[in-house]
Amino acid sequence: MSSRTLRRLPMFLLLVLLMGLAGFGAHRIAQQLGLAELQATGLHRLDLYSASLEREIGKYAFLPGTLDLERDVLELLRHPDSGQPTAKVNTYLEQLNERAGTLSIYVIDTAGRVVAASNWRRADSFLGEDLSFRPYFREAMASGSGRFFGIGTTRGEPGYYLASTLVDASRTLGVAVIKVSLEQLEKSWSTVEAPAMVSDENGVVILGSVADWKFTTLRPLDEPTRSAFDQTQQYNRRALKPLGLREIAELDHGARLVEIARQGSEIVSVYPVSGRFLAQSRPLPGTPWTLTVFSHLEQVDEIAQSRALVAVVGAAFVFMLGLMLDERRRRLKDRLAAREALQQAHDELERKVDERTADLSAANQLLQDEVAERIRAERTLRAAQDELVQAGKLAVIGQLSTGIAHELNQPLAALRTLSGNGVRFLERGDLATTRSNLERIAQLVDRMGLITGQLRAFARKSSGQLQPVALGRALDNALALLEPRLRQANAEIVRHSPLPEPLALGDANRLEQVLVNLLGNALDAMDGQPAPIIEVDCGVVAGRARLSVRDHGPGLAEAALSHLFEPFFTTKAAGVGLGLGLTISAGIVRDFGGTLSGANHPAGGAVFTLDIPLSPEASA
Ligand code: ADP
């Protein structure tokens, strides 16, 4: 057996128990109700049948008593042996018998001898017979009237005897007897719907709606009773077989549950005559008889069974319904639990999200702090950078000062010579030579002013404001600043510039500073070459201004490539290079929103490229 089946076993047993109980209960109740109904119907029938029997008997009850109204009858009894009235009375009785529809009418004298009879003509007439032993005679003699059921002694015909004394002036002369056929009484039962019977004081069935029941006994007869019957010849030596009635249970109101055994021969009847019955009895008034009505239980049983079946099915249905409802309730509960779990999970999730959000905001705060820290560092660096720019400038100035001194010393020496010569030519009166000298002096002074002016401009701190810068002009200025060095190195500058020259957005001074730096590095790289060449390209590429400076030196070393723009990276001898030039230059270009990059030219030498946004004016 599977565990599933095992689990269901109690449920199944419960169902079986429930169905059994319901079936049993319904059966019991239906049976009780059916029995009660049957009992009511039975009582009704009992009333009906006894009334019709009484009516039938009553019809004849008065008849024997009326015979003493007949003078001939009384005369005959007074003088039994006169002979004369006997024929007359016989004829009278014969006619009366015919009209009344009775079996026979006869008159008995006080000694018990039949003195006149309706059947006087017949050979088996009991005229002259002694009937003193018959109970109805004795009863009538004793109490004035007698009633008796019995079977005729002469012809063996069963009948009901009604006897009444014939009295003449308070003297009993004899007894008049009427015998009524039982068939006559039974006639009224021809239409009964249920078996009925009349049993006498001996428990012998004398009347029955079922023919075979007649002369059966309801209870076994003991021997003394049997011999008494022989004496009175009540049943005229009939067999008196038992009916086979067995009492099952005693109910209230004199009702009983009985069972009538099936007879050997099949009885033809409109209603069942064997089986279980509800038997209801009642004594018939004026007789020692008992009327019994039988109602078959078959119908009640059938109804009870069908009710029980309905109850069983109903119980099963209710049980299933209960199971279904229970299942539904359980499912609903599960769903609620699931919803609750979901809600919990949701709450948990929300809580976690809140936590994470808190973490995140903390992290965010940290990040912000970090960024702020970086910005601060950047600012500090920028400040330091600015300082360095200034320092770089000073370094360049320092570097240049030798050249400048040399530059200025020459014109100054020339000025001294020219002015000294000029004085002498003036004394000689050579005015033309004097003018020529003075003109050369003026030229020299202009040149010296130019040099000092450029120096001033270089040293000046930038305003920080971005303005349109003509790249060509900036290049001119840078080259002018480097003029002495270029000349000294015998360098050649090759310029490729389109027209009109690009207008970038930046700061002229600082851009010049960058260019001086790049050109200076190029000269350094080609140091020792007899005719160094620097190529400067200037143009617009992809909507931005671009300027590149290429030399023909050894190019950038592998190590230098990755550290070019780091502060204090230099390959030059101490005191010659600081390693700040490119760092400062890159910072300046970045300030313009541009980039500075260094690479090796495929054909040799290094090339540095400036990429700066165009001025909106230029774009326009
Ligand atoms: P410095 O010139 O003081 O060394 P820079 O920042 O200007 O500092 O240059 C850093 C280094 O980059 C130089 O020391 C040199 O090694 C390398 N460099 C710069 N320009 C060139 C160039 N045109 N050719 C070869 N190397 C160069």
Side-chain angles (χ1 to χ4, degrees), residues 517 521-522 524-525 551 554-556 560 564 569-572 576-583 606 608:
N517 211 338
N521 278 347
D524 286 345
D551 60 56
L556 298 164
L564 272 182
F569 170 79
T570 182
T571 54
K572 294 169 192 172
V576 180
L578 274 172
L580 283 174
L582 285 178
T583 314
F608 283 82

Side-chain angles (χ1 to χ4, degrees), residues 204-230:
V204 176
V205 179
I206 52 171
L207 268 178
S209 60
V210 180
D212 293 3
W213 284 0
K214 250 184 269 181
F215 302 110
T216 58
T217 57
L218 297 181
R219 48 181 183 267
L221 299 176
D222 50 9
E223 215 30 60
T225 319
R226 271 189 191 280
S227 53
F229 291 166
D230 287 348

Side-chain angles (χ1 to χ4, degrees), residues 368-497:
Q368 272 178 10
D369 292 353
E370 177 87 16
V371 167
E373 184 61 31
R374 287 278 165 87
I375 288 171
R376 252 198 312 279
E378 179 94 343
R379 280 212 193 108
T380 316
L381 199 69
R382 181 71 56 82
Q385 208 174 41
D386 286 349
E387 290 304 315
L388 284 171
V389 168
Q390 210 56 30
K393 279 182 194 169
L394 292 177
V396 171
I397 289 168
Q399 213 177 36
L400 289 174
S401 55
T402 327
I404 291 165
H406 174 73
E407 277 302 296
L408 293 182
N409 274 345
Q410 258 191 332
L412 281 174
L415 279 176
R416 188 164 178 81
T417 313
L418 283 172
S419 60
N421 287 349
V423 171
R424 256 180 272 134
F425 284 125
L426 196 60
E427 283 168 356
R428 268 189 232 156
D430 189 351
L431 284 176
T433 311
T434 309
R435 179 181 290 131
S436 150
N437 273 10
L438 282 173
E439 275 168 4
R440 284 204 55 204
I441 287 170
Q443 279 174 359
L444 283 169
V445 168
D446 279 351
R447 193 174 145 74
M448 285 164 70
L450 202 68
I451 292 169
T452 52
Q454 278 172 344
L455 274 174
R456 211 173 44 243
F458 185 75
R460 199 169 57 224
K461 249 189 166 175
S462 83
S463 65
Q465 200 124 50
L466 300 182
Q467 281 159 349
V469 180
L471 288 184
R473 176 112 26 96
L475 186 62
D476 285 342
N477 288 342
L479 288 172
L481 274 172
L482 286 171
E483 226 292 307
R485 268 197 77 189
L486 290 168
R487 208 166 354 103
Q488 198 181 10
N490 191 29
E492 187 192 344
I493 306 292
V494 182
R495 291 176 67 164
H496 310 280
S497 294

Side-chain angles (χ1 to χ4, degrees), residues 13 66 86 89 148 186 230 237 239 264 300 311 359 364 413 423 430 433 463 509 524 547 549 588 603:
L13 288 178
T66 57
T86 307
V89 172
F148 177 70
E186 276 173 0
D230 287 348
R237 297 195 172 79
V300 174
D359 288 355
N364 195 28
V423 171
D430 189 351
T433 311
S463 65
N509 281 326
D524 286 345
L547 190 150
V549 179
I588 290 167

